[in-house]
Amino acid sequence: MGVLGIVLGVILGIVSIAIIVVIILQEGNQQGLGVVTGAADSYFSKNKARSIDAFLSRWTKVFAAVFVLFVIALNVLSYFGVLK
């Protein structure tokens, strides 16, 4: 495997780790559990969480698109014999 394959593989690994981290940082949809535990959400915390969730959701889509593009690029380059 040439230098190009190694570089693309490393970038693919970094993007994979980034996807995992961004997904783990997102909160689940556990609405209504605060009532059971006695925790009350204020208006400020709800809006803050919504903006953070929107930010993480946006970056999840970006990293997923980059991941797909790199996988396709590695397969195409491998198919045409560039990555030997």
Side-chain angles (χ1 to χ4, degrees), residues 15-44:
V15 171
S16 302
I17 292 170
I19 289 173
I20 292 169
V21 168
V22 170
I23 289 174
I24 288 175
L25 289 175
Q26 292 180 8
E27 288 186 21
N29 292 333
Q30 300 176 351
Q31 297 175 355
L33 289 181
V35 175
V36 174
T37 61
D41 290 332
S42 67
Y43 180 75
F44 177 71

Side-chain angles (χ1 to χ4, degrees), residues 74-84:
L74 280 170
N75 283 323
V76 169
L77 292 174
S78 176
Y79 179 76
F80 289 115
V82 177
L83 302 176
K84 285 188 177 180

